[in-house]
Amino acid sequence: METLGQVAYEAFEKYYRKISKHEPGVLRDRDPEAIHQMRVGLRRLRTALEVFSQTVRFPKGVSIQRVRAVASSLSPVRDLDVMMLALKEQYYPHLPRSEQQQLAKLIKKLDKQREEALQKALHLLRGDRYRKLQQGLGEWLAQPQYRPIANLPITLIAPDILLPLVCHLLLHPGWQVAVDWQGDRPTFLAISDPAPLLQKSGEDLHDLRKQTKRVRYQMELFSRVYGEDFACQVSAFAELQELLGTLHDGVVLHEFFQRQLGLNLREASPCLAEMIALEQTRQWQLWRSHQQDYLTPAKRHHVRQVLLIAPTPLALNGMASAGTISVN
């Protein structure tokens, strides 16, 4: 029977290889996808470190803080890549010429910012902090060290790990945006134009997106332990993450125009502002349907229930019959 330690080893090996595979592409900066994939690998590695912090013993060079620092150095580059791609392909072709000229100025400024952010990231990747992280991961994979809990069957302990994480997500204040509770029933406030609300409460929704992504990554570490309902919930969290990200993009575009060009988007580029507003309204309506669903007792019970797999007799017997991991 597979143990928690074996699942941990597989996760760390997978993300170590993913990071190492895309590192040369990041250093050459010939394909933005390399930056995206390396950042994903680092974020998933950080999630694995959080989930398995009581399972493994890592060398000093490997820490959540160090992984977060490296991933954070790539984040501005990736965010600018995504923003410029949307501006160039989704909006620019559909604007009048005068607004295209304004947008071209913004894209030029963003491209310069990207180069500055990339150089900072490359400086970190060529430095000791990243080298020690890579070296520490390689050493651990060659000679892994575990804590006693690593020998427990994964089917026995997975619910204990995942349930607190998911319940914490369900308590996030982002679910309460534009909701008024009267007794035990929520009233969803009518919002015809979500832009002002997103400017005011967008940070709660953006943080909900980040937390949803983190929980999704954590759940994916245990996907093979569960069945189809679990896989569907992971996919649902991925969809929710994408939706909240699109909502946030509109807020960021408004801020970019104001900060980079000193212009109000609605005044300087009314057609672009209208396109963004229409997309935000569409995404807001989709979000509201998810929000309403996740604030029902039935949905929350279902989300919790998919994590509560009962250990089979084979899993329980596995504690005695499975080979144990050496604990140092």
Side-chain angles (χ1 to χ4, degrees), residues 49 76 90 99 130 133 146 156 164 173 186 194 200 208 220 242 250 254-255 295 308 311 318:
L49 285 169
Q90 185 176 348
E99 293 193 24
Y130 178 69
L133 172 63
Y146 299 92
L156 177 64
K200 179 181 178 181
L208 176 60
E220 286 177 345
E242 185 70 22
H254 278 271
E255 292 176 352
L295 288 180
L308 297 176

Side-chain angles (χ1 to χ4, degrees), residues 80 84 87-88 92 100-116 260-261:
L80 287 166
M84 287 192 290
L87 291 173
K88 291 175 181 177
Y92 185 89
Q100 286 181 336
Q101 292 173 343
Q102 288 279 17
L103 194 56
K105 292 179 182 178
L106 177 60
I107 292 172
K108 187 175 181 179
K109 283 180 173 285
L110 296 181
D111 192 50
K112 183 178 180 181
Q113 286 186 18
R114 182 194 183 278
E115 180 59 30
E116 293 171 354
Q260 302 298 329
L261 299 179

Side-chain angles (χ1 to χ4, degrees), residues 253-265:
L253 276 172
H254 278 271
E255 292 176 352
F256 268 136
F257 248 77
Q258 184 65 47
R259 187 168 65 249
Q260 302 298 329
L261 299 179
L263 299 172
N264 180 286
L265 179 59

Side-chain angles (χ1 to χ4, degrees), residues 47-105:
T47 295
L49 285 169
E50 292 170 344
V51 170
F52 299 118
S53 62
Q54 301 303 314
T55 308
V56 304
R57 298 181 188 274
F58 268 118
K60 288 184 179 180
V62 181
S63 68
I64 293 173
Q65 294 76 15
R66 183 159 291 182
V67 174
R68 182 188 293 117
V70 179
S72 296
S73 74
L74 295 176
S75 292
V77 186
R78 174 59 183 171
D79 291 345
L80 287 166
D81 281 339
V82 172
M83 186 64 63
M84 287 192 290
L85 183 65
L87 291 173
K88 291 175 181 177
E89 297 187 359
Q90 185 176 348
Y91 296 112
Y92 185 89
H94 308 290
L95 295 174
R97 183 164 182 78
S98 60
E99 293 193 24
Q100 286 181 336
Q101 292 173 343
Q102 288 279 17
L103 194 56
K105 292 179 182 178

Side-chain angles (χ1 to χ4, degrees), residues 209-236:
R209 173 186 176 269
K210 292 190 288 186
Q211 185 64 21
T212 301
K213 177 167 60 177
R214 191 171 298 120
V215 168
R216 169 197 157 201
Y217 286 172
Q218 291 161 337
M219 290 177 69
E220 286 177 345
L221 292 169
F222 301 91
S223 289
R224 64 178 176 277
V225 180
Y226 290 87
E228 185 176 343
D229 284 348
F230 183 88
C232 289
Q233 185 57 55
V234 172
S235 297

